[in-house]
């Protein structure tokens, strides 16, 4: 019997892998105020699940394709008659509704619907684990490669253009990274909770960070603590693991906000 034969070990490694990829990317989502964008991308993934099963292709491919298509559609339609937040809200909820309707047309998916919506980290297999860590390493490598350009384009698009950096290209990099994270995280926390895992650890890390790199590192640590602690709490409380992970992340955010407020008052 190897270490990976334990479903608890596989679940823990899956949670850490998703946290390490989602937290640094979540920092850019926070800095760019892209929460609705992440929501729309995540909601589109349930449609990708249904279409993948209809077409008999791997679920990961369907989710990734749906997330990329949603991201591309939002980018193309933004600024063409509707405010961005309105457009994102319409597309996010429309994608989820169409996805749920498509789910109803695929009988084999009915049993697994709750797992795709809120995740089932304890059912992660060895193949799932390889996919999760492969996606996580791809996202981390992409962020490491483009880190300076992404930061410049995020903080000052005009300065980025002067430095020869195309802000639209960097936005595309973030779009691809976000789609990959959504695709690999669906097994862990589900469609409805993916954006929470992106945003909450990053927001919790903010009061303790003086540099972007420090914020990304602390966010990754908070994400990993949320994943491992959430699994333990779910076991003790007999609750669903995905939502419990997000609940623990929310508690960490509340604690960090309180500490930040106390520090601000002391100054």
């Amino acid at each position: 019997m190897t270490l990976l034969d334990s479903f608890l070990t596989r679940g823990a490694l899956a949670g850490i892998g998703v946290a390490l990829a989602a937290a640094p990317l979540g920092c850019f989502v926070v800095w760019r105020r892209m929460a609705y964008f992440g929501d729309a991308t995540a909601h589109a993934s349930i449609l990708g699940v249904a279409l993948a099963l209809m077409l008999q292709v791997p679920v990961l491919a369907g989710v990734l394709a749906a997330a990329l298509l949603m991201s591309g559609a939002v980018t193309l339609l933004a600024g063409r008659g509707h405010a961005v937040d309105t457009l994102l809200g319409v597309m996010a909820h429309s994608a989820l509704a169409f996805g749920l309707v498509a789910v109803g047309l695929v009988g084999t998916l009915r049993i697994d619907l709750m797992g795709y919506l809120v995740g089932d980290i304890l059912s992660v297999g060895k193949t799932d684990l390889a996919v999760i860590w492969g996606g996580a390493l791809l996202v981390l490598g992409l962020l490491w490669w483009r880190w300076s350009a992404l930061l410049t384009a995020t903080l000052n698009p005009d300065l980025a253009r002067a430095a020869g950096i195309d802000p639209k290209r960097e936005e595309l990099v973030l779009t691809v990274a976000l789609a990959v994270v959504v695709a690999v995280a669906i097994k862990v926390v589900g469609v409805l909770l993916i954006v929470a895992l992106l945003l909450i650890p990053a927001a919790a890390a903010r009061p303790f960070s003086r540099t972007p790199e420090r914020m990304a590192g602390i966010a990754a640590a908070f994400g990993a603590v949320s994943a491992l602690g959430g699994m333990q709490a779910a076991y003790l409380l007999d609750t669903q693991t995905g939502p419990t992970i997000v609940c623990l992340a929310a508690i960490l955010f509340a604690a960090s906000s309180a500490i930040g407020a106390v520090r601000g008052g002391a100054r």
Side-chain angles (χ1 to χ4, degrees):
M1 180 176 178
T2 65
L3 189 63
L4 292 182
D5 288 333
S6 168
F7 70 94
L8 289 174
T9 301
R10 293 196 301 271
L13 290 174
I16 292 172
V18 170
L20 290 178
L25 182 60
C27 292
F28 284 100
V29 173
V30 169
W31 295 330
R32 286 174 169 255
R33 295 177 173 86
M34 291 173 62
Y36 264 131
F37 188 87
D39 222 21
T41 305
H43 284 179
S45 63
I46 196 68
L47 178 60
V49 170
L51 292 177
L53 293 180
M54 283 181 177
L55 299 174
Q56 296 184 340
V57 298
V59 170
L60 178 67
V63 171
L64 189 58
L68 286 172
L69 285 174
M70 173 61 77
S71 303
V74 170
T75 301
L76 287 174
L77 294 175
R80 299 191 178 184
H82 295 286
V84 175
D85 58 343
T86 301
L87 180 64
L88 288 172
V90 169
M91 296 191 71
H93 293 92
S94 298
L96 182 59
F98 278 109
L100 292 175
V101 169
V103 163
L105 300 176
V106 185
T108 56
L109 190 61
R110 290 179 184 271
I111 299 174
D112 299 319
L113 179 58
M114 188 57 68
Y116 284 112
L117 289 176
V118 299
D120 188 8
I121 192 172
L122 298 181
S123 70
V124 169
K126 293 180 180 178
T127 301
D128 297 321
L129 194 59
V131 169
I132 288 169
W133 273 93
L137 291 175
L138 176 63
V139 169
L140 289 174
L142 194 60
L143 291 178
W144 178 81
W145 175 45
R146 304 302 303 171
W147 182 264
S148 180
L150 283 169
L151 271 180
T152 305
T154 297
L155 298 176
N156 193 326
D158 292 332
L159 179 61
R161 292 188 189 93
I165 298 170
D166 184 359
K168 286 293 184 183
R169 181 185 61 201
E170 303 311 317
E171 184 177 339
L172 179 61
V173 170
L174 284 178
T175 297
V176 172
L178 185 60
V180 172
V181 167
V182 167
V184 301
I186 191 172
K187 190 79 172 181
V188 178
V189 291
V191 171
L192 300 180
L193 303 175
I194 289 172
V195 179
L197 201 61
L198 278 166
L199 292 176
I200 298 177
R206 207 164 196 171
F208 305 102
S209 309
R210 293 186 177 180
T211 65
E213 293 79 9
R214 182 177 175 84
M215 181 171 166
I218 294 175
F222 279 163
V225 169
S226 298
L228 297 178
M231 284 184 61
Q232 181 67 21
Y235 175 76
L236 295 174
L237 300 173
D238 192 24
T239 56
Q240 288 186 317
T241 310
T244 307
I245 289 172
V246 176
C247 285
L248 182 55
I251 292 171
L252 289 175
F253 169 73
S256 73
S257 298
I259 293 172
V262 170
R263 283 182 173 180
R267 291 174 187 173

